[in-house]
């Protein structure tokens, strides 16, 4: 029964957020809590000689100072990705020991009575650095002649992969044209409004570690903390309240988190660390620094028949926990054909280490596959003098049952064609084209951008069958429902959407449901956390299953109480109602009360404990498993200033069944904003010597309300839902496709100048260089 | 290390504390007064998460030292809320419009908007510029704008938020 | 990001402030709005043993109307921006202030502070140049006036002595019919300009340009006047071609910095475009073509 699902129900989270009563990790106060700060390397690459912390230790208010040499003995060395064949992970420690490898590399931790004093103490620490030549450019990092950043790896390429699908040589041999291009993305950063931070609370009496986190993955972090601190899992508890955004960053347990926990264990007191913004920009991690060289085999009528792609990914110095950068290469490779009918693909990829901050997952970490592919479609159209939309239509698969990408992804049921049509219709594409021409007459340069994408949310049939998720539910003695999920929301509104699912599944009012997350001692194990657009399906499905199970139990009790067959009972609005027979409804509260407090009145075979934990598997999912759509935008480029204004932006999106439209639209717009910013504003820049240049918000430019346009959204309504769960994720899509549509529009605006856009970061100066108005390197 | 005595009024309550001169106003509010609704996003005045009302005017509490404003009257997000957590018209409008997601930028936005709405008419064009001093990473701003326009319509020019 | 420790002083008169500054000298800095200084303290790029807070000195705030428009150094940007008197007398200043940061910054930042800080991409130093303004400064020895053209000496540098406090900013009153314009281009709303231009034009009885001021910001180590362009304009009839010529002259005479946000060549191009637009806009306000 659908009462709440599909409605834009007001969020459960909002009353506390709107009144300043959110509980973020910096709001955690514990008795005896101390404050930590990290001393960080100012060198991109150096040997570390002596570290003199005596003066720091003596400063009044300082409780402890630990260096890498003191933290290492209480932790295991960090090594990740050991299950990824061919990925050579260096061994390293939470704090740098004998070498620092990026500006911001943590070298010591100071624990003091407050953050002010801790920073004073940092000023008193003396480190002997012997600078080494930094490896900054990820392109030159491949040079085998360069000394390796990690001696145990022996080279700076830590992963290589090579795969081939279809008959690549033959497809290229018979191609009408081969287009060659190299595409560059620039380094960006997730930059949630809340930086990283934690309170590590080790209790020596109980030997328990309680870790208050700002995380997307409580259970994953518990697992990693237990592992690296050699702490029994059952004595590790991760707690998480509200999180001020993550976008993938807070999936990674950081070296600072491990150091903090280790320090707490050594001194036996709770310690808080809240990252400041400068540290955050410097050291929390970056993303998107990738390059792809492609050769595209194209038919005379614009079919992208085959692709040779060589990709380079800059993973910074230290691999981040727990996902090896190699994995992203695999995903990029698998998704590169997208929804198009490519016949052959040769993919070569490499991950290199450089003296820069670690690569972390950032909203659609494989985004480059969409960007390159959509750029290619535009370039093919330009090269062959064909219409971009015709070329897309020609290349798109239909979503027929037999449709499958050359890399193996099942594409049946995708709605790419329909979304493309919807987008063009809703934006009034023909009129846009006329507007563009008319504007040209008055000297204004407009450009129209189009891009199509798919994201696996939760993925096609075989892919999603690898996963499952559990949830727990309990009907309380008052007839209300508590649901426990291992998800880690950071603004997606799970307390609301999952309550909507549960309320409908049980048949109770929305405010009779409470969703509990953020406590590993009571939520079901979920090592994946929240990310990858999976909550929409997996969390919903698991909550639905667990709720249905407790509903069955409740009806079994009600059946015994009312002497009516359970199959003839319904629960509507919190009342157990017999079907067909006119009779008084019974409050679910009464049923629950009876179950818990009057068990003796029930038959022996009726389970009075109205709780359940259920595992939701892929069998419960129907539909294509792909979200996706088409974005269209209209930009104006000012060739005197290089300024780009987005005049219109429209999203036509297939997100399957939607639990809460307002929440979905919010996710889409937030993602689009980040994608736009990656083109026009944001660059986590290093100079040639490895110094970081964007350490404040004056230099790392997040878009404001003036820079993000009004974003129109239309949802594609596909075929009626199947039997299973079809709430698909949408979290990442906006960020994945927006760079493609904005660069497409800029290229369209400058098309008459012969400009080809093959780099993603286009600040005003670069626009004028591309347009030939300003000399390059002047 | 020197210490100074500070006495000021926050959300209608007078507080007196002894602090170092370098104690920023946002740390004073959060740590010394334990009013954790105000958030710290950058500590260099750009993101706006720390914005509070000083004598009714929005200021960056990360760019003020507590000792600089003796006797001042300050309003934080907690001060925009009625007794028992009752939502004021602005907060209600933001709730209805799904204005925010993670909530971290919210305190700075609400104080800024409260001052804005007091001044009179708002339109979508002027609103975007007026709110450019508050960064949000989650929403793309549209839902916030919508909420403010709604609040402006509902309240009319003379309504004060509940205290 | 917490500042290093300092002692705090809050004088209530200018004399008290100058005495403190004289006594504490190199170990001290004055703070007015703090919108530029506090981030530097928090990042520990600047450390002081003593902070002298000027905000309690009532004599330093306020706008007075005399032969000139005189604004107390500690007057808030926001107060000056919304002053009807300033808007009627020197509207270029009101307009320039609307580009300064955001509302919350303008509620604390001060006119004097911005000018003394002398950020090369800031608006107020350029406004002072464009309007032939001056500042009054004081130390224990007395006070003196510094003309705008003598004030800005380099990157974040002015000709103030270390023991001098800027007390007032003066703008001469305008002639009627003066044309003016502020044009700037920034990456985002409220950012420091990548380049900016302020122009002032006055016509003679013969319809030719009698007075021209072209001040630039963001294109050098300090705000500058493009005197060569000004010379080109004086004595000419207003025309679109003239504005373009002046813009070319400006572009030829600057050597802007390159940084993360733009190359030297880009800033040069930007300055050229903005000069042309600014002169065009000034002329419109004149009522000329």
């Amino acid at each position: 029964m659908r009462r709440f699902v599909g409605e834009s129900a007001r969020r459960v989270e909002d009353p506390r957020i709107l009144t300043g009563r959110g509980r973020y990790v910096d709001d955690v106060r514990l008795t005896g809590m101390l404050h930590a700060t990290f001393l960080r390397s100012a060198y991109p690459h150096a040997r570390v000689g002596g570290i003199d912390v005596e003066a720091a230790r003596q400063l009044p208010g300082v409780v402890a100072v630990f260096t890498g040499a003191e933290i290492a003995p209480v932790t295991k060395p960090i090594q990740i990705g050991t299950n990824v064949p061919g990925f050579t992970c260096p061994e390293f420690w939470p704090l740098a020991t004998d070498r620092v490898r990026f500006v911001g590399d943590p070298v010591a931790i100071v624990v003091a009575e407050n953050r002010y004093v801790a920073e004073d103490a940092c000023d008193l620490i003396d480190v002997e650095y012997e600078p080494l030549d930094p490896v900054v450019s990820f392109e030159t990092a491949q040079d085998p002649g360069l000394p390796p950043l990690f001696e145990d790896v022996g080279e700076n390429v830590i992963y290589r992969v090579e795969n081939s699908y279809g008959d690549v040589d033959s497809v290229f041999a018979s191609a009408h044209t081969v287009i060659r291009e190299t595409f560059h993305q620039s380094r960006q950063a997730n930059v949630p409004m809340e930086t990283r931070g934690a309170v590590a609370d080790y209790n020596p009496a109980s030997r328990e570690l309680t870790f208050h986190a700002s995380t997307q993955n409580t259970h994953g972090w518990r697992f990693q903390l237990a592992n690296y601190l050699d702490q029994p899992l059952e004595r590790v508890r991760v707690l998480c309240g509200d999180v001020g955004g993550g976008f993938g960053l807070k999936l990674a347990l950081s070296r600072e988190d491990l150091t903090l926990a280790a320090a707490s264990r050594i001194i036996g007191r709770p310690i808080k660390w809240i990252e400041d913004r400068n540290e955050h920009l410097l050291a929390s991690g970056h993303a998107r620094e990738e390059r792809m060289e492609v050769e595209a085999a194209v038919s005379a009528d614009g079919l992208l028949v085959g692709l040779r792609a060589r990709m380079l990914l800059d993973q910074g110095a230290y691999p981040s926990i727990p996902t090896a950068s190699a994995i992203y290469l695999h995903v990029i490779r698998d998704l590169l054909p997208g929804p198009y009918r490519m016949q052959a693909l040769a993919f070569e990829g490499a991950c290199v280490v450089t003296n820069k901050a670690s690569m972390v997952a950032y909203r659609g970490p494989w985004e480059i596959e969409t960007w390159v592919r959509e750029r290619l479609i535009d370039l093919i159209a330009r090269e062959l003098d064909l219409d971009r939309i015709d070329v897309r239509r020609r290349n798109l698969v239909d979503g027929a049952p037999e449709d499958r990408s050359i890399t193996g992804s099942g594409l049946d049921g995708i709605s790419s064609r329909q979304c493309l049509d919807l987008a063009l219709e809703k934006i009034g594409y023909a009129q846009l084209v006329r507007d563009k021409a008319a504007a040209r007459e008055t000297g204004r340069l407009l450009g129209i951008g189009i891009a199509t994408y798919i994201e696996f949310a939760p993925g096609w049939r075989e892919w999603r069958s690898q996963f499952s998720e559990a949830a727990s539910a309990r009907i309380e003695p008052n007839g209300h429902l508590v649901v426990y999920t291992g998800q880690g929301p950071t603004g997606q509104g799970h307390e609301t959407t999952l309550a909507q699912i549960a309320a409908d599944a049980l048949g109770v009012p929305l405010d009779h449901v409470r969703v509990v997350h953020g406590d590993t001692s009571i939520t079901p194990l979920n090592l994946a956390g929240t990310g990858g657009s999976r909550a929409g399906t997996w969390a919903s499905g698991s909550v639905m299953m667990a709720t249905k199970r407790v509903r069955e139990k409740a009806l079994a009790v009600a059946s015994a109480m009312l002497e009516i067959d359970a199959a003839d009972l319904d629960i509507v609005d919190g009342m157990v109602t017999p079907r067909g027979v006119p009779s008084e409804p019974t409050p679910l509260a009464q049923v629950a009360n009876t179950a818990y407090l009057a068990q003796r009145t029930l038959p022996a075979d009726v389970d009075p404990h109205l709780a359940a934990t259920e595992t939701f598997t892929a069998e419960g999912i129907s539909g294509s498993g792909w979200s996706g759509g088409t974005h269209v935008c209209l930009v104006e480029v000012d060739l005197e200033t290089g300024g780009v204004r987005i005049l219109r932006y429209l999203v036509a999106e297939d997100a399957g069944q939607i639990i809460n439209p307002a929440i979905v639209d919010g996710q889409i717009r937030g993602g689009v904003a980040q994608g736009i910013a990656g083109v026009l504003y944001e660059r986590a820049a290093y100079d040639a010597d490895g110094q970081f240049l964007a350490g404040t918000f004056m230099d790392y430019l997040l878009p404001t309300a003036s820079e993000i346009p009004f974003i129109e959204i239309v949802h594609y309504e596909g075929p009626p839902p199947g039997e299973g769960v079809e709430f698909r994720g949408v979290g990442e899509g906006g960020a994945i496709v927006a760079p493609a549509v904005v660069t497409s529009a800029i290229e369209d605006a400058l098309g008459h100048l012969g400009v080809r856009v093959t780099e993603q970061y286009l600040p005003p100066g670069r626009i004028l260089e591309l347009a030939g108005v300003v000399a390059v390197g002047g | 290390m020197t210490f100074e005595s500070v006495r000021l009024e926050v959300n209608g309550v007078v507080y007196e504390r002894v602090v170092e001169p370098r104690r920023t106003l946002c740390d004073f509010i959060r740590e010394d007064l334990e009013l954790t609704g105000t958030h710290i996003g950058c500590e260099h005045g750009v993101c706006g998460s720390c914005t509070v009302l000083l004598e009714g005017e929005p200021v960056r509490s990360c760019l003020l030292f507590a000792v600089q404003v003796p006797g001042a009257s300050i309003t934080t997000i907690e001060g925009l809320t009625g007794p028992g957590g009752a939502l004021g018209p602005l907060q209600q409008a933001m709730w209805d419009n799904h204005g925010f997601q993670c909530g971290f930028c919210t305190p700075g936005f609400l104080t800024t908007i409260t001052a804005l709405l007091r001044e009179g008419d708002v339109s979508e064009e002027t609103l975007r510029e007026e709110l450019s001093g508050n960064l949000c990473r989650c929403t793309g701003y549209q839902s916030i704008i919508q909420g403010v326009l709604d609040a402006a319509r509902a309240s009319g020019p003379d309504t004060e938020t509940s205290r | 990001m917490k500042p290093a420790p300092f002692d705090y002083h809050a004088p209530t008169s200018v004399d008290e402030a100058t005495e403190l500054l004289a006594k504490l000298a190199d170990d001290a800095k004055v703070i007015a709005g703090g919108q530029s200084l506090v981030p530097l303290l928090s990042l520990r790029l600047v450390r002081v043993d003593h902070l002298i807070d000027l905000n309690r000195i009532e004599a330093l705030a306020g706008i007075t109307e005399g032969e000139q428009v005189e604004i107390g150094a500690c007057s808030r940007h926001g107060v000056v921006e919304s002053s009807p008197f300033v808007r009627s007398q020197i509207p270029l200043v009101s307009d320039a202030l609307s580009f300064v940061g955001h509302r919350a910054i303008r509620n604390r930042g001060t006119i004097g502070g911005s000018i003394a800080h002398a950020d090369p991409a800031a608006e107020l130093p350029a406004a002072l140049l464009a309007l032939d303004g001056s500042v009054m400064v004081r130390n224990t020895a007395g006070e003196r006036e510094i003309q705008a053209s003598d004030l800005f000496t380099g990157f974040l540098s002015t000709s103030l002595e270390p023991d001098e406090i800027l007390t007032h900013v003066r703008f001469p009153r305008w002639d009627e019919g003066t044309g003016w314009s502020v044009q700037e281009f920034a990456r985002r709303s409220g950012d420091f300009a990548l380049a900016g231009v302020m122009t002032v034009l006055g016509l003679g009885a013969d319809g030719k340009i009698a007075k021209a001021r072209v001040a630039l910001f963001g294109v050098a180590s300090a705000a500058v006047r493009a005197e060569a362009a000004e010379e080109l304009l004086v004595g000419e009839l207003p025309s679109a071609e003239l504005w373009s010529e002046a813009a070319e002259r400006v572009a030829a005479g600057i050597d802007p910095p390159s940084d993360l946000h733009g190359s030297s060549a880009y800033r040069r191009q930007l300055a050229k475009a903005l000069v042309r637009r600014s002169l065009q806009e000034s002329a419109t306000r004149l009522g000329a073509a």
Side-chain angles (χ1 to χ4, degrees), chain A residues 253-505:
Chain A
L253 181 72
S254 71
R255 291 162 68 211
E256 289 90 343
D257 292 321
L258 282 175
T259 305
L260 195 73
S264 178
R265 192 156 78 180
I266 295 172
I267 66 178
R269 282 176 71 174
I271 314 175
K272 173 189 275 188
W273 166 64
I274 302 298
E275 185 180 52
D276 69 41
R277 188 58 69 180
N278 178 244
E279 283 183 275
H280 178 84
L281 290 167
L282 205 60
S284 66
H286 302 145
R288 300 273 197 271
E289 186 159 18
E290 292 147 21
R291 183 194 78 190
M292 202 183 286
E293 290 168 63
V294 297
E295 288 173 23
V298 182
S299 72
D301 59 348
L303 272 180
L304 174 53
V305 203
L307 197 63
R308 286 193 177 109
R310 197 175 320 137
M311 174 157 168
L312 200 54
L313 181 150
D314 182 345
Q315 77 112 66
Y318 301 96
S320 72
I321 305 166
T323 308
S325 49
I327 301 296
Y328 302 117
L329 283 190
H330 299 167
V331 178
I332 288 163
R333 172 201 63 204
D334 291 348
L335 291 179
L336 198 45
Y340 297 129
R341 49 180 93 253
M342 207 181 290
Q343 289 171 32
L345 170 66
F347 183 88
E348 267 177 61
C351 298
V352 292
V353 293
T354 57
N355 288 117
K356 293 185 275 193
S358 305
M359 182 216 183
V360 292
Y362 177 35
R363 209 163 192 173
W366 46 83
E367 164 276 340
I368 193 172
E369 49 82 24
T370 290
W371 184 59
V372 168
R373 186 181 58 250
E374 291 300 298
R375 293 279 62 241
L376 267 178
I377 296 290
D378 279 0
L379 289 178
I380 287 170
R382 207 172 276 284
E383 191 82 0
L384 300 180
D385 202 21
L386 297 169
D387 178 86
R388 293 182 286 175
I389 293 168
D390 287 345
V391 173
R392 273 182 178 80
R393 286 209 175 101
R394 216 162 284 159
N395 277 284
L396 282 172
V397 302
D398 298 310
E402 66 276 10
D403 281 333
R404 189 172 286 276
S405 147
I406 189 71
T407 53
S409 317
L411 295 173
D412 61 311
I414 65 165
S415 56
S416 302
R417 280 190 183 286
Q418 296 89 326
C419 287
L420 174 60
D421 291 341
L422 183 62
L424 298 174
E425 179 209 324
K426 290 296 180 182
I427 203 164
Y429 183 74
Q431 183 58 45
L432 268 194
V433 174
R434 286 192 288 271
D435 290 346
K436 176 185 156 186
R440 219 26 223 293
E441 300 294 306
T442 67
R444 291 174 64 202
L445 275 188
L446 303 189
I448 304 167
I450 305 161
T452 289
Y453 84 105
I454 50 174
E455 61 164 327
F456 51 77
W460 71 98
R461 208 175 320 274
E462 293 94 325
W463 169 262
R464 63 197 190 218
S465 66
Q466 320 167 50
F467 305 108
S468 66
E469 185 164 321
S472 304
R474 184 171 76 214
I475 298 176
E476 299 280 285
N478 65 351
H480 292 202
L481 180 70
V482 186
V483 165
Y484 303 84
T485 174
Q487 290 287 327
T490 57
Q492 301 94 325
H494 293 168
E495 287 171 37
T496 309
T497 53
L498 295 180
Q500 290 174 264
I501 296 274
D504 278 357

Side-chain angles (χ1 to χ4, degrees), chain C residues 94-115:
Chain C
S94 316
D95 214 39
L97 285 169
S98 71
F99 287 100
V100 174
H102 300 287
R103 181 73 70 105
I105 302 293
R106 299 200 289 276
N107 283 339
R108 284 303 293 181
T110 64
I111 304 293
S114 177
I115 286 173

Side-chain angles (χ1 to χ4, degrees), chain A residues 12 28 69 162 194 202 209 248 258 266 275 282 297 317 364 381 472 496 541 559 561 601 621 638 699:
Chain A
V12 167
V28 171
E162 207 174 310
E194 181 200 28
Y202 183 80
L209 171 68
L258 282 175
I266 295 172
E275 185 180 52
L282 205 60
S472 304
T496 309
S559 170
M561 283 165 69
T601 66
I621 301 174
D638 182 331
D699 290 315

Side-chain angles (χ1 to χ4, degrees), chain C residues 220-239:
Chain C
S221 60
V224 289
R225 258 174 63 190
E227 291 180 31
E230 292 170 0
E231 278 160 28
L232 191 147
L233 291 165
V234 169
E236 300 296 326
L237 284 170
S239 75

